[in-house]
Every structure is written in C-alpha cells, then in structure tokens.
Amino acid sequence: MPNELNRKFFLQRLLKEKNPVEFIKKQIADGKISEEDLLEIVCANHNLLNHQIVRQCVEDDLLQAEQLMERGINQRFLEMLYEEPEDVLPTVGNIKGIDYETTEVYFWGIPTSGKTCALGTIFKAARSGKVLECLGVETCQGLRYYQILKQIFDSPDGYCILPGRTPLDTNFAIRTEMTDHDHKHHPVTLIDMAGELFCAIAWEENGDENLLTDKHREAIADFKNILINNCSTNPKYHFFIIEYNRESRRYKDYDQDTYLDAGLRYLINNGVLNKPEDRVFVIVTKTDLLEQDIDPNQDKKQYLLDFLNERYPNFFSLINNHCRERKINGGKLPPPIVFSVGDVRFQLLCHIDTKSANHVIEQIISPPKKKGGWFSF
C-alpha cells in the first residue's frame, strides 16, 4: 500500500476529480500509487467508485477482472459493469389526496438516502410468500411506478442495477392489499415522496429563497394537499430514512441531521403526526458499511443506537418526546431498523437480500404494542 499520507491524498482528490480515471492514471504514472494499490483500495471499499469508473479502469487495464474475482467480487458483478438499466422509473407522478380507507405508509429522507431502493426491496419481499401469503396491487396512481420497480428488482438471478433518485416533482402512491398467513387482509398504500421535497420543506422553514424553485414550491403545495389540506382520517405510518455514514456530507448547504430535524418539526407543527393510531419508525439504510466500522464481536444493535444518539441527538430526542406525549407507537419509538437491500457493489450493482424488508412489512401489518416488544433487528 502507499504510505498513509499518499493514500489519504489520493482518496480525497479522487472523489473530487471531474475525470477520476485520468487522475488514477497520472497517480500511477507518477509513482504515487501502483495498480496493486488501486486494486486493494477498490476491494477494501467496494462502493468507493461507481460502476462506470470501475468499468473504464478494467477496460484500460488499470484493474484486472481476474484479480477482482480473486478478492471476492462475484463474476456476475463484473458482467453487470457492461449492462445498462433498461427500466426507467416514471418522471411524472402527482397525488392530490387519498380518499379511500387504507393505512398510509410514507417514506421520508434526503436525496439518495435509499428510499426508492428500500421500497423496491419491500415489494419484492411482499411477493416472496415468506412474510405475506400474497400481495395484491390495485389500479392506482402509482401502478406504473410499481410495475417498473417490480421489473427492476425481480431479475431471475437476484441481481439488478439499482434505480436512480425520484424526481422532485413526482410522488407515487401504490395501493395494495397485503394478506398475511392468517388470511387477514391489510389495505396498505405505500407512498414514495421525492427526497428533495424533504429538503425543500427545510429551506422554506429557514427562509432560503435562493434554494427554492417553482418546482419546489409546487412540490410543497402537493405535500400539503395530501397530508394537511385534504388529509384523510386514515392511520399514517411514517418511516424516516437515515443513510448510514452520511452525517458529515452536505446537500445544498445543510447536513442530513438538519434536514431530519427540520422535516420532523414541520410534520409535527402541521399536525401530521398527532394521533395515537399513527406510527413512526426509523430505518437506517446502506448498513453494509457498518461491517467496516465495527469489530466482528461487537453488538451491532448497541453500536448503531450509540452512533445515532451521538450524531442525531436532537432528532431522536424530539421524536421520542413526541411519541411519548401523543402516545404514538404506544408512547415509545421502536429501535431503528437496520436496513440493507443486499450486497451492493460499485454504488449501483446489487445482489438483493429481502431479510431487512421482511422486518419492515412485519411492522406495517402488526398492530401497535403498548409496552415495548418491538421487533426490528
């Protein structure tokens, strides 16, 4: 390996370069790193570089496919480097309100936090027959979105290219009927809201007019139609998505903690989270990175709880106090759900695992409990 100073410089510069492959070539030519160093860096963090950069490195003989496989990269991932996504999610979708009886399930989080991928995995798990007897999807506003998401995640060998982010001015409501193994029917509508909407709420609250566009204002107006102006009497479940290991990165001036705190306050202040029959959960996505940060013998659950309380103290204090005061979730926030869509390589290529998604479905169809006992890990 290069010395620690060279390695730190290389990694810092690499992620900022407009043409990272040319930067890698120059670093190798100047003797700063070797091809073996590059191989070790890529295999130590298999999501450091995206699939396009890795593909070009393989094409330019900076990385050898055989060596990547020797280091544990499945051959299928290397084949997928040359595949392009065939299914494109809809870019137009708008909900004016929900006027039928159902449990409304909302997913909130910043852009690229993993909401859409989590939803795709949840649908795959719901169809598997393990946690549900069957899943019925009705004709609805989000039907086409669901069908394309299904095609992406239902590849025969379990491998897929993950979809991109949900556009700002789109939101989709997928109306389903979940039937459990006791033959009980659960009408559930799963709603994917654009991550940038969550950010726009914070910008509006902070008076950041320079960050708000007409599309942002329209998206906020749509949100208000769904959950404030035309709000149904249905129970509403809110899943807050926290992307693991992104606490220091900023999205348009603010970090994830600021957006989570502002978004939660906005929902509370506008009466969206006020009824005992409502429920609230926290999902921590991209937890494959967790394995790199803890000892094999370390308690994953305790580590994550300590990590979240240290990095997001105000958000968790606020959400816990609100659950207690409004008797949401029986007065207590359940432990966070450690979520992974599976084995992700090069940021976009995935071998799907629905174990985490099964837990989410169990939470959705299980009645609230008054005293602890929540199953999430």
Side-chain angles (χ1 to χ4, degrees):
M1 261 319 279
N3 67 53
E4 192 59 32
L5 189 60
N6 276 355
R7 182 178 185 275
K8 188 174 181 180
F9 169 80
F10 174 76
L11 292 175
Q12 286 177 341
R13 285 284 306 276
L14 177 62
L15 300 178
K16 295 177 181 177
E17 289 290 324
K18 290 183 178 179
N19 193 329
V21 176
E22 290 304 314
F23 172 71
I24 291 170
K25 287 179 179 178
K26 188 173 189 312
Q27 290 286 294
I28 291 174
D30 292 347
K32 302 291 186 182
I33 65 164
S34 67
E35 291 180 3
E36 179 64 28
D37 296 330
L38 175 64
L39 176 67
E40 188 168 333
I41 288 169
V42 170
C43 291
N45 183 348
H46 46 245
N47 284 305
L48 175 70
L49 304 178
N50 66 42
H51 75 297
Q52 293 174 322
I53 296 173
V54 174
R55 178 173 64 193
Q56 192 172 342
C57 284
V58 172
E59 289 174 347
D60 292 350
D61 290 328
L62 301 173
L63 290 169
Q64 304 296 320
E66 295 78 9
Q67 292 177 321
L68 288 167
M69 287 190 287
E70 288 171 3
R71 301 292 183 99
I73 306 292
N74 189 287
Q75 181 178 342
R76 185 70 184 92
F77 285 120
L78 299 176
E79 293 168 353
M80 290 170 69
L81 289 175
Y82 298 91
E83 297 176 9
E84 297 296 334
E86 295 181 3
D87 302 297
V88 179
L89 289 172
T91 56
V92 178
N94 185 265
I95 311 168
K96 291 301 182 184
I98 295 175
D99 58 0
Y100 51 88
E101 290 187 8
T102 184
T103 296
E104 299 173 24
V105 181
Y106 294 86
F107 295 87
W108 302 102
I110 65 173
T112 72
S113 58
K115 298 185 306 303
T116 302
C117 293
L119 197 55
T121 314
I122 289 167
F123 282 128
K124 183 177 177 66
R127 292 188 300 272
S128 70
K130 292 181 180 178
V131 69
L132 294 175
E133 183 176 80
C134 66
L135 173 74
V137 179
E138 302 180 26
T139 300
C140 57
Q141 178 266 352
L143 180 60
R144 183 167 180 268
Y145 173 79
Y146 162 78
Q147 290 171 335
I148 295 178
L149 201 60
K150 173 181 177 294
Q151 290 172 192
I152 293 171
F153 282 84
D154 271 0
S155 60
D157 61 1
Y159 288 86
C160 76
I161 300 176
L162 297 173
R165 56 191 284 188
T166 306
L168 164 65
D169 52 348
T170 61
N171 42 61
F172 300 98
I174 301 94
R175 185 176 180 177
T176 78
E177 185 170 274
M178 298 183 177
T179 304
D180 63 31
H181 289 292
D182 293 324
H183 314 302
K184 184 177 179 181
H185 301 292
H186 305 266
V188 174
T189 299
L190 296 106
I191 299 154
D192 186 13
M193 309 292 283
E196 189 134 345
L197 166 62
F198 200 59
C199 297
I201 286 170
W203 301 336
E204 183 183 62
E205 289 294 284
N206 293 342
D208 290 320
E209 295 296 322
N210 60 311
L211 294 175
L212 289 167
T213 65
D214 288 342
K215 279 194 172 183
H216 289 123
R217 293 183 177 89
E218 289 170 11
I220 292 172
D222 286 342
F223 157 77
K224 289 179 178 177
N225 276 333
I226 302 165
L227 280 166
I228 300 174
N229 302 333
N230 299 328
C231 183
S232 71
T233 58
N234 294 324
K236 296 170 180 62
Y237 294 3
H238 298 271
F239 285 85
F240 287 90
I241 311 295
I242 297 179
E243 181 183 354
Y244 179 71
N245 210 29
R246 195 176 179 175
E247 61 280 352
S248 61
R249 282 187 280 173
R250 295 178 183 270
Y251 181 78
K252 295 187 180 178
D253 296 345
Y254 299 112
D255 60 19
Q256 186 172 211
D257 182 42
T258 301
Y259 287 122
L260 286 165
D261 190 58
L264 177 60
R265 287 183 183 280
Y266 188 88
L267 294 177
I268 290 172
N269 293 341
N270 283 278
V272 175
L273 278 170
N274 275 332
K275 298 183 293 185
E277 59 266 34
D278 292 339
R279 293 171 74 182
V280 61
F281 305 90
V282 170
I283 292 179
V284 185
T285 57
K286 306 186 183 180
T287 53
D288 53 313
L289 297 172
L290 192 64
E291 306 298 333
Q292 302 171 18
D293 295 341
I294 63 173
D295 254 292
N297 299 324
Q298 200 168 355
D299 186 288
K300 185 189 294 185
K301 178 177 178 179
Q302 191 56 53
Y303 174 88
L304 191 61
L305 286 171
D306 293 343
F307 174 86
L308 293 172
N309 282 315
E310 177 186 340
R311 303 299 176 93
Y312 305 96
N314 203 54
F315 172 77
F316 278 95
S317 175
L318 179 62
I319 203 169
N320 274 300
N321 287 341
H322 191 68
C323 285
R324 184 173 62 252
E325 290 173 2
R326 296 290 179 172
K327 296 184 171 41
I328 295 170
N329 297 345
K332 184 179 180 181
L333 177 71
I337 298 171
V338 181
F339 196 95
S340 171
V341 299
D343 184 11
V344 179
R345 301 295 174 108
F346 315 135
Q347 301 180 12
L348 205 59
L349 313 179
C350 181
H351 187 217
I352 302 165
D353 185 338
T354 59
K355 186 186 299 182
S356 303
N358 288 338
H359 299 341
V360 175
I361 296 169
E362 287 175 345
Q363 299 285 30
I364 291 171
I365 65 173
S366 300
K369 299 179 181 180
K370 292 184 178 179
K371 294 183 180 179
W374 294 92
F375 173 68
S376 60
F377 280 89

